[in-house]
PDB file of all heavy atoms in Angstrom:
ATOM      1  N   LEU A 147    -245.721  20.443 -82.133  1.00 92.00           N
ATOM      2  CA  LEU A 147    -246.257  21.523 -81.315  1.00 92.00           C
ATOM      3  C   LEU A 147    -245.876  21.335 -79.848  1.00 92.00           C
ATOM      4  O   LEU A 147    -245.434  22.285 -79.178  1.00 92.00           O
ATOM      5  CB  LEU A 147    -247.778  21.583 -81.454  1.00 92.00           C
ATOM      6  CG  LEU A 147    -248.504  22.588 -80.564  1.00 92.00           C
ATOM      7  CD1 LEU A 147    -248.038  24.014 -80.866  1.00 92.00           C
ATOM      8  CD2 LEU A 147    -250.019  22.475 -80.741  1.00 92.00           C
ATOM      9  N   ILE A 148    -246.044  20.121 -79.338  1.00 93.00           N
ATOM     10  CA  ILE A 148    -245.722  19.860 -77.934  1.00 93.00           C
ATOM     11  C   ILE A 148    -244.231  20.059 -77.671  1.00 93.00           C
ATOM     12  O   ILE A 148    -243.839  20.675 -76.670  1.00 93.00           O
ATOM     13  CB  ILE A 148    -246.166  18.440 -77.531  1.00 93.00           C
ATOM     14  CG1 ILE A 148    -247.704  18.383 -77.482  1.00 93.00           C
ATOM     15  CG2 ILE A 148    -245.566  18.038 -76.182  1.00 93.00           C
ATOM     16  CD1 ILE A 148    -248.279  17.001 -77.237  1.00 93.00           C
ATOM     17  N   LEU A 149    -243.382  19.572 -78.573  1.00 89.00           N
ATOM     18  CA  LEU A 149    -241.948  19.772 -78.404  1.00 89.00           C
ATOM     19  C   LEU A 149    -241.585  21.244 -78.504  1.00 89.00           C
ATOM     20  O   LEU A 149    -240.715  21.743 -77.776  1.00 89.00           O
ATOM     21  CB  LEU A 149    -241.174  18.956 -79.441  1.00 89.00           C
ATOM     22  CG  LEU A 149    -241.216  17.437 -79.263  1.00 89.00           C
ATOM     23  CD1 LEU A 149    -240.523  16.751 -80.432  1.00 89.00           C
ATOM     24  CD2 LEU A 149    -240.573  17.021 -77.948  1.00 89.00           C
ATOM     25  N   ASN A 150    -242.241  21.949 -79.399  1.00 88.00           N
ATOM     26  CA  ASN A 150    -241.967  23.372 -79.571  1.00 88.00           C
ATOM     27  C   ASN A 150    -242.417  24.168 -78.343  1.00 88.00           C
ATOM     28  O   ASN A 150    -241.690  25.035 -77.841  1.00 88.00           O
ATOM     29  CB  ASN A 150    -242.678  23.891 -80.815  1.00 88.00           C
ATOM     30  CG  ASN A 150    -242.211  25.286 -81.214  1.00 88.00           C
ATOM     31  OD1 ASN A 150    -241.022  25.580 -81.158  1.00 88.00           O
ATOM     32  ND2 ASN A 150    -243.140  26.133 -81.614  1.00 88.00           N
ATOM     33  N   LEU A 151    -243.612  23.867 -77.829  1.00 91.00           N
ATOM     34  CA  LEU A 151    -244.112  24.564 -76.641  1.00 91.00           C
ATOM     35  C   LEU A 151    -243.260  24.260 -75.414  1.00 91.00           C
ATOM     36  O   LEU A 151    -243.187  25.068 -74.488  1.00 91.00           O
ATOM     37  CB  LEU A 151    -245.566  24.150 -76.363  1.00 91.00           C
ATOM     38  CG  LEU A 151    -246.623  24.615 -77.367  1.00 91.00           C
ATOM     39  CD1 LEU A 151    -247.982  24.028 -77.018  1.00 91.00           C
ATOM     40  CD2 LEU A 151    -246.699  26.138 -77.406  1.00 91.00           C
ATOM     41  N   SER A 152    -242.615  23.089 -75.428  1.00 89.00           N
ATOM     42  CA  SER A 152    -241.797  22.676 -74.286  1.00 89.00           C
ATOM     43  C   SER A 152    -240.364  23.180 -74.380  1.00 89.00           C
ATOM     44  O   SER A 152    -239.627  23.147 -73.388  1.00 89.00           O
ATOM     45  CB  SER A 152    -241.773  21.143 -74.178  1.00 89.00           C
ATOM     46  OG  SER A 152    -243.081  20.630 -74.050  1.00 89.00           O
ATOM     47  N   SER A 153    -239.956  23.625 -75.550  1.00 82.00           N
ATOM     48  CA  SER A 153    -238.577  24.051 -75.755  1.00 82.00           C
ATOM     49  C   SER A 153    -238.305  25.377 -75.058  1.00 82.00           C
ATOM     50  O   SER A 153    -239.183  26.230 -74.930  1.00 82.00           O
ATOM     51  CB  SER A 153    -238.295  24.185 -77.253  1.00 82.00           C
ATOM     52  OG  SER A 153    -237.019  24.748 -77.478  1.00 82.00           O
ATOM     53  N   GLU A 154    -237.075  25.564 -74.631  1.00 69.00           N
ATOM     54  CA  GLU A 154    -236.684  26.832 -74.010  1.00 69.00           C
ATOM     55  C   GLU A 154    -236.631  27.952 -75.041  1.00 69.00           C
ATOM     56  O   GLU A 154    -236.812  29.118 -74.704  1.00 69.00           O
ATOM     57  CB  GLU A 154    -235.320  26.679 -73.329  1.00 69.00           C
ATOM     58  CG  GLU A 154    -235.332  25.719 -72.150  1.00 69.00           C
ATOM     59  CD  GLU A 154    -233.969  25.582 -71.521  1.00 69.00           C
ATOM     60  OE1 GLU A 154    -233.030  26.262 -71.977  1.00 69.00           O
ATOM     61  OE2 GLU A 154    -233.835  24.802 -70.554  1.00 69.00           O
ATOM     62  N   THR A 155    -236.387  27.586 -76.292  1.00 62.00           N
ATOM     63  CA  THR A 155    -236.333  28.594 -77.361  1.00 62.00           C
ATOM     64  C   THR A 155    -237.206  28.131 -78.520  1.00 62.00           C
ATOM     65  O   THR A 155    -236.703  27.680 -79.549  1.00 62.00           O
ATOM     66  CB  THR A 155    -234.888  28.799 -77.855  1.00 62.00           C
ATOM     67  OG1 THR A 155    -234.353  27.524 -78.270  1.00 62.00           O
ATOM     68  CG2 THR A 155    -234.025  29.374 -76.759  1.00 62.00           C
ATOM     69  N   PRO A 156    -238.531  28.237 -78.387  1.00 56.00           N
ATOM     70  CA  PRO A 156    -239.438  27.798 -79.457  1.00 56.00           C
ATOM     71  C   PRO A 156    -239.139  28.512 -80.767  1.00 56.00           C
ATOM     72  O   PRO A 156    -238.944  29.718 -80.804  1.00 56.00           O
ATOM     73  CB  PRO A 156    -240.816  28.190 -78.915  1.00 56.00           C
ATOM     74  CG  PRO A 156    -240.635  28.272 -77.440  1.00 56.00           C
ATOM     75  CD  PRO A 156    -239.241  28.785 -77.245  1.00 56.00           C
ATOM     76  N   SER A 157    -239.108  27.753 -81.829  1.00 53.00           N
ATOM     77  CA  SER A 157    -238.839  28.323 -83.143  1.00 53.00           C
ATOM     78  C   SER A 157    -239.294  27.356 -84.213  1.00 53.00           C
ATOM     79  O   SER A 157    -239.103  26.152 -84.095  1.00 53.00           O
ATOM     80  CB  SER A 157    -237.350  28.609 -83.319  1.00 53.00           C
ATOM     81  OG  SER A 157    -237.048  28.930 -84.663  1.00 53.00           O
ATOM     82  N   LEU A 158    -239.887  27.876 -85.272  1.00 47.00           N
ATOM     83  CA  LEU A 158    -240.285  27.010 -86.378  1.00 47.00           C
ATOM     84  C   LEU A 158    -239.061  26.386 -87.033  1.00 47.00           C
ATOM     85  O   LEU A 158    -239.132  25.296 -87.586  1.00 47.00           O
ATOM     86  CB  LEU A 158    -241.084  27.817 -87.412  1.00 47.00           C
ATOM     87  CG  LEU A 158    -242.475  28.263 -86.967  1.00 47.00           C
ATOM     88  CD1 LEU A 158    -243.127  29.104 -88.066  1.00 47.00           C
ATOM     89  CD2 LEU A 158    -243.357  27.062 -86.654  1.00 47.00           C
ATOM     90  N   GLN A 159    -237.912  27.077 -86.969  1.00 47.00           N
ATOM     91  CA  GLN A 159    -236.694  26.523 -87.554  1.00 47.00           C
ATOM     92  C   GLN A 159    -236.247  25.263 -86.823  1.00 47.00           C
ATOM     93  O   GLN A 159    -235.564  24.422 -87.386  1.00 47.00           O
ATOM     94  CB  GLN A 159    -235.579  27.568 -87.514  1.00 47.00           C
ATOM     95  CG  GLN A 159    -235.843  28.774 -88.405  1.00 47.00           C
ATOM     96  CD  GLN A 159    -234.718  29.790 -88.350  1.00 47.00           C
ATOM     97  OE1 GLN A 159    -233.830  29.713 -87.514  1.00 47.00           O
ATOM     98  NE2 GLN A 159    -234.768  30.749 -89.256  1.00 47.00           N
ATOM     99  N   TYR A 160    -236.659  25.145 -85.588  1.00 48.00           N
ATOM    100  CA  TYR A 160    -236.318  23.967 -84.782  1.00 48.00           C
ATOM    101  C   TYR A 160    -236.807  22.695 -85.443  1.00 48.00           C
ATOM    102  O   TYR A 160    -236.202  21.644 -85.328  1.00 48.00           O
ATOM    103  CB  TYR A 160    -236.962  24.154 -83.403  1.00 48.00           C
ATOM    104  CG  TYR A 160    -236.837  23.001 -82.435  1.00 48.00           C
ATOM    105  CD1 TYR A 160    -235.600  22.508 -82.054  1.00 48.00           C
ATOM    106  CD2 TYR A 160    -237.975  22.429 -81.869  1.00 48.00           C
ATOM    107  CE1 TYR A 160    -235.480  21.484 -81.136  1.00 48.00           C
ATOM    108  CE2 TYR A 160    -237.868  21.402 -80.952  1.00 48.00           C
ATOM    109  CZ  TYR A 160    -236.626  20.934 -80.594  1.00 48.00           C
ATOM    110  OH  TYR A 160    -236.534  19.914 -79.693  1.00 48.00           O
ATOM    111  N   PHE A 161    -237.888  22.781 -86.192  1.00 48.00           N
ATOM    112  CA  PHE A 161    -238.477  21.601 -86.817  1.00 48.00           C
ATOM    113  C   PHE A 161    -237.616  21.044 -87.948  1.00 48.00           C
ATOM    114  O   PHE A 161    -237.765  19.902 -88.330  1.00 48.00           O
ATOM    115  CB  PHE A 161    -239.863  21.928 -87.386  1.00 48.00           C
ATOM    116  CG  PHE A 161    -240.858  22.333 -86.342  1.00 48.00           C
ATOM    117  CD1 PHE A 161    -241.989  23.047 -86.698  1.00 48.00           C
ATOM    118  CD2 PHE A 161    -240.676  22.016 -85.020  1.00 48.00           C
ATOM    119  CE1 PHE A 161    -242.917  23.421 -85.745  1.00 48.00           C
ATOM    120  CE2 PHE A 161    -241.591  22.384 -84.055  1.00 48.00           C
ATOM    121  CZ  PHE A 161    -242.714  23.094 -84.418  1.00 48.00           C
ATOM    122  N   ALA A 162    -236.735  21.858 -88.500  1.00 49.00           N
ATOM    123  CA  ALA A 162    -236.007  21.443 -89.696  1.00 49.00           C
ATOM    124  C   ALA A 162    -234.708  20.711 -89.392  1.00 49.00           C
ATOM    125  O   ALA A 162    -234.138  20.082 -90.269  1.00 49.00           O
ATOM    126  CB  ALA A 162    -235.710  22.665 -90.565  1.00 49.00           C
ATOM    127  N   ILE A 163    -234.227  20.794 -88.162  1.00 54.00           N
ATOM    128  CA  ILE A 163    -232.929  20.204 -87.865  1.00 54.00           C
ATOM    129  C   ILE A 163    -233.048  18.705 -87.594  1.00 54.00           C
ATOM    130  O   ILE A 163    -234.052  18.245 -87.073  1.00 54.00           O
ATOM    131  CB  ILE A 163    -232.260  20.918 -86.666  1.00 54.00           C
ATOM    132  CG1 ILE A 163    -233.077  20.723 -85.379  1.00 54.00           C
ATOM    133  CG2 ILE A 163    -232.052  22.391 -86.955  1.00 54.00           C
ATOM    134  CD1 ILE A 163    -232.422  21.324 -84.147  1.00 54.00           C
ATOM    135  N   PRO A 164    -232.021  17.939 -87.965  1.00 56.00           N
ATOM    136  CA  PRO A 164    -232.083  16.481 -87.786  1.00 56.00           C
ATOM    137  C   PRO A 164    -232.376  16.056 -86.353  1.00 56.00           C
ATOM    138  O   PRO A 164    -233.101  15.087 -86.131  1.00 56.00           O
ATOM    139  CB  PRO A 164    -230.685  16.027 -88.228  1.00 56.00           C
ATOM    140  CG  PRO A 164    -230.243  17.077 -89.189  1.00 56.00           C
ATOM    141  CD  PRO A 164    -230.801  18.370 -88.646  1.00 56.00           C
TER     142      PRO A 164
END
Side-chain angles (χ1 to χ4, degrees):
L147 175 61
I148 290 174
L149 291 175
N150 192 41
L151 291 175
S152 302
S153 173
E154 294 179 2
T155 56
S157 169
L158 290 178
Q159 294 180 349
Y160 175 58
F161 297 160
I163 64 176

